[in-house]
Amino acid sequence: MNAARYHRRQILGLGLGALAGCAVNPVTGERQLMLIDRGSEINLDREQSPHQFSADFGRVQEPALNDYINRVGMELARISDRPDMPYSFRAVNASHLNAYAFPGGSIAVTRGMLLELDNEAELAALLGHEIVHVAARHTAQRMTQQSLSSLVLTGVGQVVARQNPDYAALARDLGGLAQGALLARYSREDERQSDRLGLEYMVEAGHNPEGMVGLMEILRGQRQNQPGLVQQMFSTHPMGEQRYRTAVAAVRQYSESVRSRARHRERFREATASVRALRPAIEKLQAAHAALAAEKTGAAQTLAREAVRRAPDDYTAQVVLGTTLLAREQLQPALNRFRTAMELYPDEPRAHHLAGATLLQMDQPGAALERFRRYQKLLPGNPAMTFMTGYCHERLGNRQPAAEHYYQYLQSVQQGPQAQHARRRLVAWGVIQQG
Ligand SMILES: [Zn+2]
């Protein structure tokens, strides 16, 4: 590098650095413009990842399974190019196929994905890939400071803002298919880098690189056979034939001895046995979600009921059945399902939210308010709950707290049916001027 160019870079680096953080990429060693620094990556992760985990029906309630996934993940994270991030790994209860990473290192894999994996080497390939998204700061590059308003569950707004709420749309939103708003969308180049480096990490950690081929075959097969199930995974991790071929070619470069390492199938199957035991129920839930997405609420309800019959103690199955009941305006049966779900998994906030929305429909704003308060205790930081709290107060005739919550809501969300409603009330009550 010549002196002038170096000087220019220094100036550029310093100048931009003061504004936006020009950082050295831990993977490439190149300086690059980062809109958010390490501290912000970690903060963003802490703020947002719990909302995504809840949208995925919470982490699985089996500590041994989470511990296993965390152990496999941490072995890879430690040898990554950015080992000093606060990585953590868990399984979440969603039925579709996905795995994702938040910029501070919070990484999750769904039950639907675990069902497809055959051995620990494939799990390592998946987690290694996600770790690179953190280590190479892909997420930080893609993620703008997305406000939590994108998380606002619009379905609840429809309940409030419309005379005749669109229950099918409500159920679709609350059913989890509108999730993923908080996840970064990676470029194909990001994916290529994650595949390549993830493979290096897993081999260095002692895994058999053939696990990467297994993973790629799962993704390719799913994409061809059941595109709906993995839609989200491919919107966040684009997959193409070229990506598959590149990854397979990279694996073939390793020696015969490396490629004949153990894949730890037994260990993996033992750790994930509880998920496989639920396969019949999870497959019904996958079909129920597809039916909800197509607005076939009757079929969705039948499928969800079959899932509950197969797994009556499964939180996710109860929530999905409740959602399909809500979609068909069967309010009391829906509420019963959400109550069962709350008993099965008291700390998971989503059932509280759904119960609150249902109670509002049943003209019970006082009981609804309790549910929304509980939600906010369990998972603070969702503006939708601020709105719903205000709305319950309004329905109860408590104008002062209603106004306070609406005002607070408008500080974080300015658009959409809820914001319109809040603004109209505040103007009508003389709290703010018509603007
Ligand atoms: Zn990816």
Side-chain angles (χ1 to χ4, degrees):
M1 190 184 292
N2 68 49
R5 199 168 142 212
Y6 182 70
H7 184 63
R8 202 161 56 233
R9 277 208 171 180
Q10 282 295 96
I11 292 167
L12 191 67
L14 283 172
L16 290 172
L19 285 172
C22 189
V24 175
N25 187 298
V27 167
T28 63
E30 288 169 10
R31 292 186 74 81
Q32 61 185 176
L33 177 65
M34 281 290 162
L35 293 174
I36 58 176
D37 61 15
R38 181 179 186 273
S40 305
E41 284 177 281
I42 293 170
N43 285 340
L44 205 65
D45 185 320
R46 285 200 183 128
E47 263 173 41
Q48 301 200 342
S49 62
H51 295 279
Q52 183 62 47
F53 299 152
S54 179
D56 283 328
F57 305 90
R59 70 167 63 201
V60 300
Q61 287 162 281
E62 187 192 345
L65 176 54
N66 286 315
D67 289 349
Y68 170 72
I69 290 169
N70 197 53
R71 197 161 56 240
V72 174
M74 287 307 293
E75 283 168 11
L76 296 161
R78 265 195 291 274
I79 55 161
S80 77
D81 291 280
R82 207 183 180 197
D84 61 332
M85 293 300 277
Y87 293 95
S88 61
F89 303 81
R90 78 278 293 140
V92 288
N93 281 316
S95 309
H96 62 263
L97 278 68
N98 204 8
Y100 51 85
F102 277 84
S106 295
I107 291 171
V109 50
T110 63
R111 290 197 302 193
M113 190 73 222
L114 287 177
L115 269 187
E116 300 302 320
L117 301 177
D118 176 70
N119 56 59
E120 191 174 291
E122 291 178 1
L123 175 65
L126 183 67
L127 298 180
H129 175 101
E130 297 301 331
I131 288 166
V132 181
H133 283 316
V134 179
R137 309 193 71 185
H138 293 157
T139 325
Q141 290 171 59
R142 301 288 155 218
M143 242 175 170
T144 54
Q145 293 271 13
Q146 222 169 1
S147 91
L148 266 181
S149 62
S150 59
L151 176 81
V152 170
L153 298 158
T154 53
V156 178
Q158 287 167 359
V159 172
V160 175
R162 294 189 193 174
Q163 289 299 326
N164 300 303
D166 179 351
Y167 281 97
L170 169 69
R172 195 178 51 234
D173 287 354
L174 298 181
L177 291 168
Q179 67 189 262
L182 298 174
L183 301 176
R185 262 67 177 159
Y186 304 112
S187 70
R188 285 181 190 277
E189 176 53 29
D190 290 344
E191 289 308 288
R192 201 190 54 74
Q193 191 179 38
S194 280
D195 289 344
R196 185 174 55 76
L197 269 178
L199 179 63
E200 283 179 26
Y201 294 170
M202 72 179 283
V203 170
E204 207 180 316
H207 291 286
N208 185 329
E210 293 290 341
M212 181 62 88
V213 176
L215 174 67
M216 289 291 156
E217 275 166 4
I218 291 165
L219 296 180
R220 192 172 66 150
Q222 288 289 338
R223 191 170 65 117
Q224 284 158 359
N225 301 332
Q226 292 173 288
L229 268 184
V230 280
Q231 214 168 30
Q232 192 180 320
M233 182 141 198
F234 295 125
S235 68
T236 54
H237 304 280
M239 176 79 193
E241 196 57 27
Q242 187 56 44
R243 185 181 154 196
Y244 171 80
R245 274 196 238 108
T246 306
V248 171
V251 171
R252 300 283 176 255
Q253 310 257 308
Y254 286 98
S255 70
E256 197 51 46
S257 69
V258 171
R259 282 166 56 202
S260 55
R261 285 177 183 169
R263 299 184 201 199
H264 299 299
R265 184 167 192 268
E266 291 312 309
R267 197 156 77 188
F268 174 83
R269 291 181 68 84
E270 197 179 310
T272 57
S274 62
V275 177
R276 254 189 325 283
L278 290 170
R279 182 189 290 276
I282 292 173
E283 287 175 349
K284 292 290 176 194
L285 291 175
Q286 291 171 342
H289 277 297
L292 268 181
E295 308 215 355
K296 293 178 182 158
T297 54
Q301 192 177 117
T302 305
L303 289 159
R305 211 176 278 287
E306 285 172 25
V308 165
R309 195 166 55 74
R310 285 168 167 81
D313 293 337
D314 189 58
Y315 170 81
T316 311
Q318 294 285 352
V319 170
V320 173
L321 177 55
T323 304
T324 64
L325 288 161
L326 185 59
R328 295 172 74 76
E329 296 186 58
Q330 297 168 19
L331 301 178
Q332 187 61 53
L335 183 63
N336 293 342
R337 293 304 172 176
F338 298 138
R339 284 196 172 131
T340 303
M342 286 188 278
E343 281 164 24
L344 288 169
Y345 199 163
D347 295 342
E348 214 304 297
R350 186 164 170 176
H352 295 273
H353 171 206
L354 287 159
T358 310
L359 284 161
L360 264 180
Q361 285 302 295
M362 298 169 82
D363 275 321
Q364 297 182 41
L369 183 60
E370 274 177 52
R371 290 302 106 218
F372 296 134
R373 279 190 176 141
R374 185 81 198 122
Y375 182 106
Q376 272 183 306
K377 275 224 171 65
L378 293 168
L379 181 55
N382 184 349
M385 290 306 130
T386 309
F387 176 84
M388 296 314 285
T389 305
Y391 186 72
C392 289
H393 280 303
E394 181 193 338
R395 294 271 295 268
L396 288 164
N398 307 329
R399 190 177 285 188
Q400 179 66 26
E404 281 166 12
H405 283 92
Y406 284 160
Y407 190 84
Q408 192 193 334
Y409 178 73
L410 289 173
Q411 305 307 300
S412 48
V413 184
Q414 285 84 39
Q415 282 174 7
Q418 291 122 315
Q420 281 170 15
H421 178 95
R423 201 173 291 115
R424 266 199 308 270
R425 287 297 180 273
L426 290 177
V427 169
W429 297 336
V431 178
I432 59 170
Q433 301 275 306
Q434 183 85 55

Coordinates of all heavy atoms in Angstrom, one line a residue, residues 3 43 49 59 105 114 124 207 218 225 299 333 369 385 422 425 430 432:
A3 N 2.0 5.2 0.4 CA 1.9 6.1 1.6 C 0.6 6.9 1.5 O -0.1 7.1 2.5 CB 3.1 7.0 1.8
N43 N -25.9 -5.4 22.6 CA -27.1 -4.8 23.1 C -28.3 -5.1 22.2 O -29.4 -5.5 22.7 CB -27.0 -3.3 23.2 CG -26.2 -2.8 24.3 OD1 -26.0 -3.6 25.3 ND2 -25.6 -1.6 24.3
S49 N -33.2 -10.7 20.6 CA -33.3 -12.2 20.4 C -34.4 -12.8 21.3 O -35.0 -13.8 20.9 CB -31.9 -12.9 20.7 OG -31.5 -12.6 22.0
R59 N -37.6 -21.4 24.1 CA -36.6 -22.5 24.0 C -37.2 -23.7 24.5 O -38.2 -23.7 25.3 CB -35.4 -22.1 24.9 CG -35.7 -22.1 26.4 CD -34.4 -22.1 27.2 NE -33.6 -20.9 27.0 CZ -32.3 -20.7 27.2 NH1 -31.6 -21.8 27.6 NH2 -31.7 -19.6 27.0
G105 N -24.2 -13.2 19.2 CA -23.8 -14.6 19.4 C -24.9 -15.5 19.9 O -24.7 -16.6 20.2
L114 N -34.0 -29.8 13.9 CA -33.4 -31.0 14.6 C -33.9 -32.3 14.1 O -33.2 -33.3 14.1 CB -33.6 -30.8 16.1 CG -32.8 -29.8 16.8 CD1 -33.2 -29.7 18.3 CD2 -31.3 -30.0 16.7
A124 N -23.0 -29.7 13.9 CA -21.9 -28.9 13.9 C -21.7 -28.0 12.7 O -21.3 -26.9 12.7 CB -20.6 -29.7 14.2
H207 N -14.7 -32.6 14.0 CA -15.9 -33.2 13.4 C -15.5 -33.7 12.0 O -14.6 -33.3 11.4 CB -17.0 -32.2 13.3 CG -17.6 -31.8 14.6 ND1 -18.4 -32.7 15.3 CD2 -17.5 -30.7 15.4 CE1 -18.8 -32.1 16.5 NE2 -18.2 -30.9 16.5
I218 N -29.9 -32.0 3.1 CA -31.2 -31.8 3.7 C -31.8 -30.5 3.2 O -33.0 -30.5 2.8 CB -31.0 -31.6 5.3 CG1 -30.6 -33.0 5.9 CG2 -32.3 -31.1 5.9 CD1 -30.0 -32.9 7.3
N225 N -38.7 -30.3 -2.2 CA -39.9 -31.1 -1.8 C -41.0 -30.3 -1.0 O -42.2 -30.4 -1.3 CB -39.5 -32.3 -1.0 CG -38.6 -33.2 -1.8 OD1 -38.6 -33.2 -3.1 ND2 -37.7 -33.9 -1.1
A299 N -59.1 -26.7 8.0 CA -58.1 -27.7 7.9 C -57.0 -27.6 8.9 O -56.5 -28.5 9.5 CB -57.5 -27.7 6.5
P333 N -63.2 -21.7 23.6 CA -62.3 -22.9 23.4 C -60.8 -22.4 23.2 O -59.9 -23.0 23.6 CB -62.8 -23.6 22.2 CG -64.3 -23.2 22.1 CD -64.4 -21.8 22.7
L369 N -55.9 -7.2 30.7 CA -54.9 -6.4 31.2 C -53.9 -7.2 32.1 O -52.7 -7.0 32.0 CB -55.5 -5.3 32.1 CG -54.5 -4.2 32.7 CD1 -53.8 -3.5 31.6 CD2 -55.3 -3.2 33.5
M385 N -47.3 -4.4 23.6 CA -47.9 -4.6 24.9 C -48.2 -3.3 25.6 O -49.1 -3.2 26.3 CB -46.9 -5.4 25.8 CG -46.8 -6.8 25.4 SD -48.4 -7.7 25.3 CE -48.2 -8.4 23.6
A422 N -54.1 5.4 18.9 CA -53.6 6.1 20.1 C -53.6 7.6 19.9 O -54.0 8.3 20.8 CB -52.1 5.6 20.4
R425 N -57.2 9.1 20.1 CA -57.6 9.2 21.5 C -57.0 10.4 22.2 O -57.6 11.1 22.9 CB -57.4 7.9 22.2 CG -58.3 6.8 21.8 CD -59.8 7.1 22.1 NE -60.6 6.0 21.7 CZ -61.1 5.8 20.5 NH1 -60.9 6.7 19.5 NH2 -61.9 4.8 20.2
G430 N -57.6 15.7 24.5 CA -56.9 17.0 24.7 C -55.4 16.8 25.3 O -54.9 17.8 25.8
I432 N -52.8 15.7 23.4 CA -51.9 16.3 22.3 C -52.8 17.1 21.3 O -54.0 16.9 21.3 CB -51.1 15.2 21.6 CG1 -52.0 14.2 20.9 CG2 -50.1 14.5 22.5 CD1 -51.3 13.2 20.0

